[in-house]
Amino acid sequence: MKSILVADDDKLVRITLRKILESAGYAFLEAKDGGEAIELFRKRKPDLVIVDIVMPIKDGVRTFLELRGFDTKAKVIAISAGARSGKIDYLDLTKRIGANGILAKPFTRASVLAMVERVLADEKGA
Amino acid sequence: MQDITDLKEREEELRQSEAALDQAARLAKLAHYRWSKVEGRYLQLSGQIFDILGIPTDVPPKAGDYIDPRLHPDDRQRVFRERGAAEAGERKMDMEYRIVRPDGGVRHIHEIAEIKLGASGLAEVYFGTFQDVSEQKRVEGELRESEERHRSVVAALADGVVLQDRDGLIRAANGSAERILGLTSDQMIGRTSLDPRWRAVKEDGSPFPGEMHPAMTTLKTGQPCRDVIMGVRKPDGSLTWISINTQPMFQPGESRCGSVVSSFADITDKRRAEAELRQAQKLQSIGTLAGGIAHELNNLLVPIIGLTELTIEKLPERGKNRANLNNVLAAAERARLLVQNILAFSRRDKPSRRIIKIAPLMDEVMAMLRPVLPTTIDIRQKVERGTPDIPADAALIHQVLINLVSNAAAAMGLRGGLLELSAAGVELAESFCGARNGLLPGRHARIRVSDTGHGMDEETQRRIFEPFFTTKQTGDGTGMGLSVVHGIVSAHNGAIDVDSTIGRGTVFTLYFPAFDPSAI
């Protein structure tokens, strides 16, 4: 069974993703900020990380960079409800610096599962 | 024996009186004389003349002519002429001339004389006074110079300056006042602040009563007024905004303000630039706020959509609960789209630019709208030769035109009128662009959308570009239209002007930088 780590500070988002992913047969791990996500990733080595961009303590972009620093092949999907600073769209930025996929909130169950399957199926990793 | 005590006393009195007169004459630099024209000598001449002419006192006072040889060469002929005229005419002389002292110093002399004729009818004796008026002349000259200096300073001021007397009548105005108010000095002089032709308005657009004008306030109170803002209609109907300062002037010894000087700067351009900046800041802060709200809503929509979907799957195909939850999903989808629109507004991304031609774009817009506009509206469309292409996002400009044309049609309603859509090429000057944020001088395409509808008051004109501002009935419009138009035009480095008169109609003028092939 593939395991997926979800890092999002919004509890309702985590609950929703847990239900969606577990219903599709994935093992679910959760973290409520970037720091926790890094810890869990090192301990449990999940097959995929879904990371939110706007999080306290450690934002999604930094978390992504640290994950890749730890494991260059770490598979990461970035999600965001519209984080932006001036002209920079962080979701887009994360994609450009190498995230395997990006997904704008709100998303449908089908779109999440399709992207998860695609990224997990990609044997090359990053 | 004769008692001469009385006589002695009178002599003493006389002596004292003469001494006093002499002292007075010295102080006034005044000499008196009797001159015998026949004998060519003074019959009498007071000693004061030596001081005046700057010559030694040991010259016998009655010897020869002291004045003529010392006359300033430039005044000599005139003095002789005036003297001759006085002898032939009224036999009274009152003239000023200059003499040159032995040390080269020049003094101004004021001479007054009466001429007595002899038996032959010719001038025989002059009786008169010389007074050294050099000091008065110097002061007068300085005063004149100082006045001249002030006058040229006032004339050179960029600010308008107007002088009004105690009745509020304008007595003088400088060139800048003429330029700012669009009136000549002649048109202004004699007018008062109470004149209805000023059509002055306050900042909120309400009438500015004449008796409340700062100049009138200052005349009434004797106190200056500072930075009073007033809108004044020029004769051509355009509104000029001025900031007025007044200064009361008092006649020496009077406590009532005798006149008032008003100075005023033209702040029309400044006000426009400030308003645009405020507008831009307002839009920016609304954008930031909208962005924050959108972010929260997007997060909230995750469980609403995700959990509803999961729940639906567990419900029987045809059940009522499933239908209910499908409606929840439909509502969530609408919410998602709304949030997306708000985000798009808050971001106002740089539009993707292509070189577009204005004429076909206008045709497209009119082809779309003509069928839905009331037939009572007469539509004219004109693109002048030489209208430049513009680098723009065609879809956005399309949206702008549709918005403005629909507004124009709505303003005329079923009553109808004339709707004009025109375009031309214009060269914008620095001065024009300075007052419009983001606009740079140079060649531009100018697009105008005008209607003959109900028009807007100033307050409405000021606010139309604000998000959610609408004059339409609830439900008729979101109020997002013109703020989005403004946003789109700004994103193209363009500008939008509105000019409207109640009952006459409205003109929206858009400026877009022209495509410059040489810049590629």
Side-chain angles (χ1 to χ4, degrees):
Chain A
M1 192 195 276
K2 300 266 187 188
S3 62
I4 299 174
L5 167 62
V6 170
D8 196 307
D9 58 322
D10 191 319
K11 191 178 174 191
L12 285 170
V13 173
R14 292 199 305 274
I15 289 174
T16 307
L17 281 171
R18 169 191 281 269
K19 301 262 183 190
I20 290 173
L21 295 171
E22 285 181 348
S23 76
Y26 297 105
F28 181 83
L29 300 167
E30 63 182 308
K32 59 182 183 300
D33 62 59
E36 267 188 33
I38 303 285
E39 283 294 300
L40 262 176
F41 184 81
R42 298 166 91 124
K43 276 191 207 146
R44 310 281 295 270
K45 303 276 169 52
D47 298 289
L48 170 67
V49 183
I50 296 178
V51 60
D52 183 35
I53 297 294
V54 183
M55 287 191 297
I57 303 173
K58 201 167 276 182
D59 66 55
V61 179
R62 246 180 88 195
T63 305
F64 166 74
L65 290 173
E66 285 187 25
L67 286 172
R68 279 287 166 82
F70 185 73
D71 175 357
T72 53
K73 288 191 163 34
K75 292 183 173 179
V76 181
I77 293 173
I79 57 175
S80 172
R84 236 180 140 82
S85 160
K87 298 238 175 296
I88 302 168
D89 180 324
Y90 286 105
L91 202 54
D92 189 49
L93 176 74
T94 319
K95 173 78 181 168
R96 275 187 283 134
I97 58 178
N100 303 75
I102 54 171
L103 208 51
K105 291 177 184 173
F107 35 69
T108 59
R109 175 171 177 263
S111 62
V112 174
L113 291 178
M115 180 160 290
V116 165
E117 273 167 38
R118 179 181 67 71
V119 172
L120 283 174
D122 187 356
E123 283 308 317
K124 292 195 300 290
Chain B
M1 279 237 336
Q2 198 181 350
D3 184 2
I4 59 165
T5 316
D6 199 31
L7 191 64
K8 286 267 181 213
E9 274 176 7
R10 276 169 51 200
E11 270 179 5
E12 178 56 20
E13 265 175 28
L14 192 63
R15 203 186 56 74
Q16 276 182 8
S17 165
E18 274 179 355
L21 271 177
D22 197 48
Q23 195 179 5
R26 193 160 49 78
L27 287 173
K29 296 183 179 168
L30 186 77
H32 64 267
Y33 70 86
R34 273 204 309 137
W35 164 258
S36 163
K37 181 165 171 141
V38 183
E39 295 171 48
R41 66 179 186 93
Y42 289 100
L43 303 173
Q44 194 182 16
L45 182 62
S46 60
Q48 201 53 48
I49 194 71
F50 301 113
D51 278 353
I52 294 174
L53 299 178
I55 54 175
T57 49
D58 53 1
V59 177
K62 291 172 189 168
D65 187 348
Y66 290 96
I67 299 296
D68 286 2
R70 294 183 171 85
L71 277 172
H72 192 286
D74 293 347
D75 294 348
R76 182 182 296 274
Q77 292 308 318
R78 180 174 55 82
V79 169
F80 292 166
R81 221 173 25 246
E82 286 192 27
R83 214 183 262 159
E87 284 177 8
E90 296 209 344
R91 298 189 292 281
K92 274 185 182 158
M93 214 168 62
D94 186 339
M95 63 177 172
E96 277 185 17
Y97 50 80
R98 289 165 296 173
I99 54 102
V100 184
R101 286 178 160 185
D103 64 3
V106 173
R107 309 299 288 179
H108 289 263
I109 305 295
H110 180 206
E111 183 180 350
I112 302 174
E114 283 177 4
I115 303 164
K116 204 177 132 197
L117 301 185
S120 60
L122 293 173
E124 194 174 84
V125 177
Y126 280 60
F127 177 77
T129 59
F130 300 118
Q131 187 173 18
D132 183 343
V133 293
S134 306
E135 192 58 22
Q136 289 97 304
K137 279 278 166 197
R138 190 182 60 75
V139 173
E140 271 173 29
E142 278 178 7
L143 200 64
R144 207 170 29 245
E145 252 176 54
S146 144
E147 261 184 27
E148 196 48 51
R149 242 190 334 264
H150 282 118
R151 207 185 300 279
S152 42
V153 166
V154 170
L157 279 178
D159 280 5
V161 178
V162 162
L163 173 72
Q164 283 165 272
D165 68 13
R166 68 173 66 221
D167 300 319
L169 284 168
I170 293 179
R171 290 296 181 195
N174 71 349
S176 293
E178 295 183 318
R179 179 178 50 77
I180 294 170
L181 301 174
L183 293 167
T184 64
S185 273
D186 288 345
Q187 288 170 317
M188 269 185 273
I189 286 170
R191 262 204 209 184
T192 71
S193 300
L194 306 178
D195 195 307
R197 282 174 291 179
W198 295 116
R199 287 184 285 166
V201 291
K202 293 183 185 172
E203 275 194 285
D204 63 6
S206 65
F208 206 130
E211 63 275 11
M212 306 263 289
H213 284 204
M216 300 309 282
T217 305
T218 296
L219 281 174
K220 214 178 305 164
T221 62
Q223 298 294 319
C225 294
R226 292 278 165 261
D227 304 322
V228 178
I229 291 175
M230 185 190 283
V232 183
R233 289 254 173 228
K234 283 188 179 182
D236 66 7
S238 64
L239 190 62
T240 299
W241 289 96
I242 55 177
S243 169
I244 309 171
N245 285 288
T246 60
Q247 188 63 42
M249 301 215 291
F250 298 90
Q251 289 295 321
E254 276 195 30
S255 59
R256 196 191 144 193
C257 175
S259 54
V260 56
V261 176
S262 304
S263 68
F264 47 92
D266 185 343
I267 55 164
T268 313
D269 285 351
K270 190 169 152 250
R271 267 175 68 96
R272 176 196 284 275
E274 280 171 357
E276 292 207 353
L277 190 65
R278 264 199 308 277
Q279 172 76 1
Q281 284 168 341
K282 207 181 280 177
L283 287 178
Q284 196 176 22
S285 55
I286 287 173
T288 308
L289 181 70
I293 293 172
H295 182 262
E296 289 309 300
L297 288 176
N298 276 339
N299 268 324
L300 293 174
L301 285 169
V302 170
I304 294 174
I305 293 172
L307 298 179
T308 305
E309 282 180 331
L310 283 167
T311 311
I312 286 174
E313 279 183 15
K314 290 176 183 152
L315 293 173
E317 280 287 339
R318 294 179 181 273
K320 196 177 171 191
N321 286 337
R322 194 170 182 135
N324 286 345
L325 288 183
N326 272 324
N327 283 333
V328 171
L329 270 189
E333 174 59 14
R334 266 171 60 188
R336 188 184 68 82
L337 287 175
L338 177 67
V339 172
Q340 226 171 44
N341 281 340
I342 293 173
L343 269 182
F345 169 75
S346 75
R347 286 172 186 168
R348 283 216 252 111
D349 295 334
K350 267 195 163 176
S352 65
R353 309 271 175 95
R354 293 234 169 89
I355 310 308
I356 62 166
K357 292 193 180 300
I358 291 171
L361 193 75
M362 271 190 186
D363 288 342
E364 260 174 53
V365 170
M366 291 319 295
M368 237 180 94
L369 290 177
R370 204 183 287 263
V372 295
L373 297 179
T375 47
T376 46
I377 294 176
D378 187 11
I379 299 167
R380 274 183 220 162
Q381 195 184 330
K382 188 183 183 193
V383 177
E384 277 178 29
R385 275 158 86 72
T387 301
D389 295 345
I390 57 174
D393 186 320
L396 293 179
I397 304 299
H398 207 264
Q399 195 184 330
V400 164
L401 293 181
I402 285 185
N403 196 303
L404 293 177
V405 171
S406 336
N407 275 353
M412 295 187 281
L414 291 171
R415 201 166 42 83
L418 178 64
L419 193 160
E420 274 184 296
L421 189 58
S422 67
V426 289
E427 203 69 40
L428 298 185
E430 183 118 36
S431 56
F432 181 84
C433 299
R436 291 163 178 81
N437 288 317
L439 210 56
L440 295 171
R443 186 137 186 89
H444 284 71
R446 187 189 66 200
I447 301 177
R448 279 210 166 118
V449 180
S450 70
D451 65 64
T452 54
H454 50 59
M456 293 178 277
D457 60 24
E458 305 222 341
E459 168 71 9
T460 306
Q461 287 181 52
R462 241 195 317 275
R463 297 192 53 199
I464 45 168
F465 296 120
E466 288 177 12
F468 309 113
F469 178 79
T470 180
T471 56
K472 293 177 182 152
Q473 296 291 313
T474 313
D476 269 6
T478 58
M480 285 295 279
L482 284 173
S483 68
V484 170
V485 165
H486 186 274
I488 292 173
V489 173
S490 303
H492 283 83
N493 306 324
I496 181 165
D497 276 356
V498 59
D499 187 16
S500 186
T501 312
I502 292 276
R504 289 242 195 103
T506 301
V507 183
F508 281 98
T509 307
L510 310 168
Y511 298 94
F512 292 104
F515 167 61
D516 180 6
S518 67
I520 296 173

